[in-house]
Amino acid sequence: MLAKIKSARDALRKSEQKVADVILADPDGSVQSSIQSIATKASVSEPTVIRFCRALDCVGFQQFKLRLAQDLASRGTFFYRDVTTDDTSKELATKLIDGAIASMVQMRNQLNYESLEHAINFFENCDRIEFYGSGGSGIVAEDAQLKFFRLGKPAIAYADPHIQHASAALLDNKSLIVAISHSGRSKDILETVKIAKQSRAKVITVTATKSPLAEIGDVNFSVDVDEDSDIFSPVKSRLAQMIVLDILAVGIAVKGGEEMLQQLARARRAIDFKFV
Amino acid sequence: MLAKIKSARDALRKSEQKVADVILADPDGSVQSSIQSIATKASVSEPTVIRFCRALDCVGFQQFKLRLAQDLASRGTFFYRDVTTDDTSKELATKLIDGAIASMVQMRNQLNYESLEHAINFFENCDRIEFYGSGGSGIVAEDAQLKFFRLGKPAIAYADPHIQHASAALLDNKSLIVAISHSGRSKDILETVKIAKQSRAKVITVTATKSPLAEIGDVNFSVDVDEDSDIFSPVKSRLAQMIVLDILAVGIAVKGGEEMLQQLARARRAIDFKFV
DNA sequence: ATTAGCTCGTAATAAAGTTACAACACTCTT
DNA sequence: AAGAGTGTTGTAACTTTATTACGAGCTAAT
């Protein structure tokens, strides 16, 4: 949630940003405050605070506070510390794994189940599904393809923006696309999604809250991860994205009932001869 | 907090016990309810609910809810249960995420730090690095390539067994390969590694303990994950493999000191223009 | 049986959260 | 540069939620 606020901050309105700043400055204090006291601290009106909460996908202030509280609580269990140059390899490994766990816990608390239901519906009503992502997110897209093509509908992943554009132009209203992006601000993927929408395809996004990409999709799964600490391409958000897509795939499979589960088992056995 | 309620239950007044029962029966639901709905469910009056909260050392209902919420969020037992066909989407998501967390925790406990030191050494003494994996592990190999090629040495990933064989044949004793496999029993990857060893390349494996692949490598990172529950391609081991390689990459970067960290920052900035 | 003491609910009150709307500010035209 | 139109923010009314005060009902001891 804190990560969510951070990543959404710039997309917020001016006075809502003041609210964000007040909360980021003292999250622990904020969970115990009323709307009034937060509004005063931020020198804005109370409705602004509510609008701020709504902007973060909460139905109201109470829900916001609750989520924030849960976020803070789970943060404590796997305390995340930055890697430093004089860590032993053990410290380093522990830190990185704890960071990954912390982001999973946050994921668990913030995942939007309505989006999940919607997304499952989209899948059931589509003829084919395409995954778009570039760079690190391209990896996630490929991973998703591997999962989804076993579900009985054509599934494909494209990492190359040119091919994405070309493919998006050929979609129709029975197509479903999943656009994956860490920042949600990559020009390429935004362009791809615009083309896909013109083709009247349904669009699921897996990206940061309030990012341009999240705004133009039909359904968004928010993946907000505190990234300052990632030296490389963002691993933690990679992991989070992958688990979101796994949840979606399993959700679809489970809804498909016994029949689909058996189909999956068949797909699995098909590669058995490859092993010693 | 839940434990507190349980142990305090018998000491409470009769109607307060009803409140306790309602909350214990559905803690997750309760944190989102108002006093009114809880009072109704327990067939008691609203003040009784408040008295119940006071009995548990809370100043009011809000504080009680907050504490309960934090308690639920941090209950650290990521007890893994199998997904069933009649899970709600929330249960499903929670189960899958808990499973992923559990495998991370396991990873943290079993990671071999000596292997890590060895692997870092290999990297420092090599001219180039190649990642081999097929199917799901091919994804991990690509992800690793993305990370490693920023470290200043040629890095490449191959998923196609034929190309792996060809490439492995062209290695020399200044080459390092990383073989990734979930089972460690895939004929293709075993063959690839044998060829690479004939070329006198160093071999790091990321695979299951005691598997044939683990046996023939120079250094192995054990990734053993309980997979019965994975309907699809094994997500959990995918995540575990990725984090292992991330640890390795960060370990190398950190050992490279300030200079290498700055080089990484440059690599990151190089793609900035791609964004809105 | 009566009263002290405790438990619990009703009804009033206060506080917090939410909505509707109007005023203001900021573009983008013309 | 004026004005239409859009978007942002605050005011004030309103609703919901939490809390308090008080008294009725029950239990048990005299």
Side-chain angles (χ1 to χ4, degrees):
Chain A
M1 198 71 192
L2 277 177
K4 191 170 187 163
I5 299 175
K6 260 183 220 158
S7 65
R9 205 206 96 109
D10 292 339
L12 294 174
R13 302 190 252 258
K14 228 185 300 149
S15 51
E16 284 166 23
Q17 289 184 5
K18 289 190 207 165
V19 179
D21 294 339
V22 166
I23 288 165
L24 288 172
D26 179 18
D28 294 275
S30 303
V31 292
Q32 291 172 35
S33 317
S34 66
I35 278 205
Q36 219 171 53
S37 79
I38 289 179
T40 312
K41 267 185 214 150
S43 353
V44 300
S45 68
E46 286 149 46
T48 299
V49 178
I50 293 193
R51 282 187 283 255
F52 164 83
C53 299
R54 300 259 159 88
L56 268 67
D57 305 319
C58 297
V59 326
F61 181 68
Q62 288 296 348
Q63 194 183 75
F64 168 77
K65 254 179 29 177
L66 223 60
R67 294 209 183 149
L68 185 60
Q70 299 197 322
D71 197 49
L72 294 174
S74 55
R75 179 164 279 253
T77 34
F78 295 98
F79 187 59
Y80 186 73
R81 301 135 298 168
D82 274 348
V83 171
T84 66
T85 39
D86 45 38
D87 280 335
T88 65
S89 36
K90 184 170 183 175
E91 284 167 337
L92 187 124
T94 307
K95 284 180 179 181
L96 289 171
I97 294 176
D98 280 0
I101 292 175
S103 67
M104 292 274 151
V105 171
Q106 275 167 240
M107 197 69 235
R108 192 179 64 175
N109 291 335
Q110 77 166 44
L111 192 73
N112 187 330
Y113 303 102
E114 278 174 37
S115 299
L116 192 53
E117 305 277 1
H118 275 128
I120 292 176
N121 258 319
F122 282 160
F123 180 84
E124 284 173 336
N125 297 314
C126 79
D127 280 345
R128 59 167 163 168
I129 181 165
E130 308 210 338
F131 298 92
Y132 302 144
S134 299
S137 305
I139 307 281
V140 179
E142 273 190 67
D143 182 63
Q145 180 196 356
L146 272 185
K147 292 186 215 295
F148 278 78
F149 85 145
R150 302 190 191 176
L151 293 174
K153 290 188 186 177
I156 190 143
Y158 295 119
D160 181 329
H162 294 209
I163 299 182
Q164 287 175 8
H165 292 180
S167 183
L170 298 173
L171 300 172
D172 57 32
N173 64 349
K174 298 289 280 177
S175 308
L176 174 59
I177 71 163
V178 179
I180 305 160
S181 166
H182 165 54
S183 68
R185 323 186 85 83
S186 149
K187 286 173 200 159
D188 290 328
I189 197 96
L190 282 167
E191 184 58 25
T192 305
V193 169
K194 278 176 198 154
I195 296 172
K197 293 214 82 166
Q198 276 162 23
S199 308
R200 312 210 294 144
K202 289 277 178 285
V203 179
I204 295 175
T205 56
V206 178
T207 190
T209 308
K210 280 276 159 187
S211 63
L213 180 58
E215 301 284 302
I216 61 176
D218 295 305
V219 166
N220 178 246
F221 289 103
S222 298
V223 175
D224 301 292
V225 171
D226 213 353
E227 290 291 359
D228 304 336
S229 35
D230 273 335
I231 307 187
F232 294 99
S233 52
V235 217
K236 285 186 284 175
S237 80
R238 192 91 36 97
L239 299 180
Q241 288 166 356
M242 282 175 76
I243 195 101
V244 165
L245 288 165
D246 197 60
I247 289 167
L248 182 54
V250 174
I252 290 165
V254 160
K255 205 159 182 195
E258 202 50 45
E259 192 188 345
M260 188 169 266
L261 295 177
Q262 289 189 0
Q263 181 183 329
L264 290 168
R266 268 204 308 282
R268 214 173 190 183
R269 277 196 301 278
I271 54 165
D272 269 358
F273 73 94
K274 292 271 185 189
F275 295 96
V276 185
Chain B
M1 199 72 194
L2 275 176
K4 190 170 187 167
I5 299 175
K6 260 181 219 157
S7 63
R9 205 204 94 109
D10 293 339
L12 295 173
R13 306 188 249 258
K14 225 185 303 146
S15 52
E16 283 166 21
Q17 289 184 5
K18 288 189 205 164
V19 178
D21 293 340
V22 166
I23 287 165
L24 289 172
D26 179 18
D28 292 278
S30 302
V31 292
Q32 291 172 33
S33 316
S34 66
I35 280 207
Q36 218 173 55
S37 80
I38 289 179
T40 312
K41 267 186 211 147
S43 353
V44 300
S45 71
E46 287 150 45
T48 300
V49 178
I50 293 192
R51 283 189 281 259
F52 164 83
C53 299
R54 300 259 160 89
L56 268 69
D57 305 318
C58 297
V59 324
F61 180 67
Q62 288 296 349
Q63 192 183 78
F64 168 76
K65 255 181 23 179
L66 222 59
R67 291 205 186 153
L68 184 60
Q70 298 200 323
D71 196 50
L72 293 175
S74 63
R75 67 186 185 293
T77 52
F78 303 108
F79 187 61
Y80 187 71
R81 302 135 298 168
D82 274 348
V83 172
T84 66
T85 39
D86 44 40
D87 280 336
T88 64
S89 37
K90 184 171 183 175
E91 285 166 338
L92 186 123
T94 306
K95 284 180 178 181
L96 289 171
I97 294 177
D98 280 1
I101 293 173
S103 69
M104 294 270 158
V105 171
Q106 196 186 326
M107 196 68 235
R108 195 178 56 178
N109 295 335
Q110 73 168 41
L111 191 73
N112 186 330
Y113 304 103
E114 279 173 37
S115 300
L116 192 54
E117 305 278 1
H118 275 126
I120 292 175
N121 258 319
F122 282 161
F123 180 83
E124 284 172 336
N125 297 314
C126 78
D127 280 345
R128 59 167 164 168
I129 182 165
E130 307 210 338
F131 298 92
Y132 301 145
S134 298
S137 304
I139 307 280
V140 180
E142 273 191 69
D143 182 62
Q145 180 197 355
L146 271 185
K147 291 186 217 295
F148 279 78
F149 84 147
R150 301 192 191 174
L151 293 174
K153 292 189 185 177
I156 191 145
Y158 295 119
D160 181 327
H162 294 211
I163 299 182
Q164 287 175 8
H165 293 180
S167 183
L170 298 173
L171 300 172
D172 58 32
N173 65 348
K174 300 287 279 178
S175 308
L176 173 59
I177 70 163
V178 179
I180 304 159
S181 165
H182 165 53
S183 68
R185 324 186 84 82
S186 149
K187 286 173 198 160
D188 291 326
I189 198 98
L190 282 166
E191 183 59 24
T192 304
V193 170
K194 279 176 196 154
I195 297 171
K197 293 213 79 165
Q198 277 162 24
S199 308
R200 312 210 294 145
K202 289 280 179 282
V203 179
I204 296 175
T205 57
V206 178
T207 189
T209 311
K210 290 278 169 190
S211 63
L213 180 59
E215 302 285 308
I216 62 174
D218 295 305
V219 166
N220 177 245
F221 290 104
S222 298
V223 176
D224 301 295
V225 172
D226 185 18
E227 290 290 358
D228 302 337
S229 35
D230 271 337
I231 306 187
F232 295 99
S233 53
V235 219
K236 285 186 286 175
S237 79
R238 191 90 35 98
L239 298 180
Q241 288 166 356
M242 282 174 74
I243 196 100
V244 166
L245 287 164
D246 196 59
I247 290 167
L248 183 55
V250 174
I252 290 165
V254 160
K255 206 156 181 197
E258 203 48 46
E259 192 189 346
M260 188 168 268
L261 295 177
Q262 289 190 0
Q263 181 183 329
L264 290 168
R266 267 205 307 284
R268 216 172 188 182
R269 276 197 301 278
I271 53 165
D272 267 0
F273 74 94
K274 291 270 186 192
F275 295 96
V276 185

